[in-house]
Amino acid sequence: MSPLFKSISVVFFTGLLLLRTLMVPLILMDFELRHDYIASELCVNRDKPQLHCDGKCYLAKKLKAAQDSEEKEASGRLLSQLLEVPDQLTQTHITFHCSTVSSEPTNSTFTYLCFFPSSLPTDIFRPPKLG
C-alpha cells in the first residue's frame, strides 16, 4: 500500500468518526443557521403562531431520529459481538504436561510443577463446624 493511500484513508475514516461523534451538534448548528426557513416552511405548527413552536418540533424530530439510529446501531453492534464466536476460541487447544524441576538451568523453556490438592497440608484446611 502506498503512503499516500494510507494517509488518505486515515483522514477519511477519521472524518467519518468525527461526523458520527458530532451528529447532535451538527443538527443543532443546522437548526440555528436555518432557523427562519425551518420555522416558516418545515415546522408542523407553522399555521398556529400562538404556540410559539418556531421550528422546535422539527428540531426535536431530528434529534429523536439521530438518537434512535444511534441506539439501533449500538444494540446491533452489541448483539453481533455477543453472538459472534471468534475462530481463535474454537481452534485453540490447551494441553498441560507435568514435569519436574531440573537442576540444570534452561534458557529457552520453562518447567512448571504440577499442583495436586493432595499435596496440601490437611491439618490447616478443615470445613467449618456447625453447632
Side-chain angles (χ1 to χ4, degrees):
M1 238 190 257
S2 71
L4 178 64
F5 180 71
K6 285 182 183 179
S7 62
I8 290 173
S9 62
V10 165
V11 169
F12 175 73
F13 287 120
T14 304
L16 284 179
L17 182 65
L18 283 175
L19 181 67
R20 184 75 184 134
T21 304
L22 298 173
M23 185 60 76
V24 172
L26 287 175
I27 291 172
L28 292 172
M29 186 177 70
D30 176 53
F31 177 73
E32 289 298 322
L33 291 175
R34 300 185 318 144
H35 185 253
D36 294 332
Y37 173 73
I38 291 172
S40 65
E41 300 295 324
L42 301 177
C43 182
V44 176
N45 298 320
R46 65 180 171 263
D47 298 331
K48 303 173 189 172
Q50 66 273 16
L51 293 177
H52 300 290
C53 179
D54 297 328
K56 292 176 188 163
C57 57
Y58 177 80
L59 176 64
K61 195 183 301 184
K62 285 289 192 181
L63 289 174
K64 179 76 171 141
Q67 182 183 9
D68 289 346
S69 68
E70 186 175 318
E71 288 175 358
K72 184 178 176 182
E73 183 179 314
S75 66
R77 217 177 17 237
L78 177 66
L79 186 63
S80 68
Q81 287 175 353
L82 289 175
L83 295 178
E84 182 179 298
V85 177
D87 290 337
Q88 294 88 1
L89 291 179
T90 59
Q91 297 175 358
T92 303
H93 300 285
I94 299 173
T95 57
F96 295 99
H97 299 286
C98 293
S99 64
T100 59
V101 177
S102 77
S103 59
E104 303 172 5
T106 58
N107 294 334
S108 61
T109 59
F110 294 100
T111 55
Y112 297 97
L113 289 175
C114 286
F115 175 75
F116 295 104
S118 62
S119 66
L120 294 173
T122 56
D123 58 339
I124 296 174
F125 301 106
R126 291 187 205 147
K129 293 181 181 178
L130 300 176

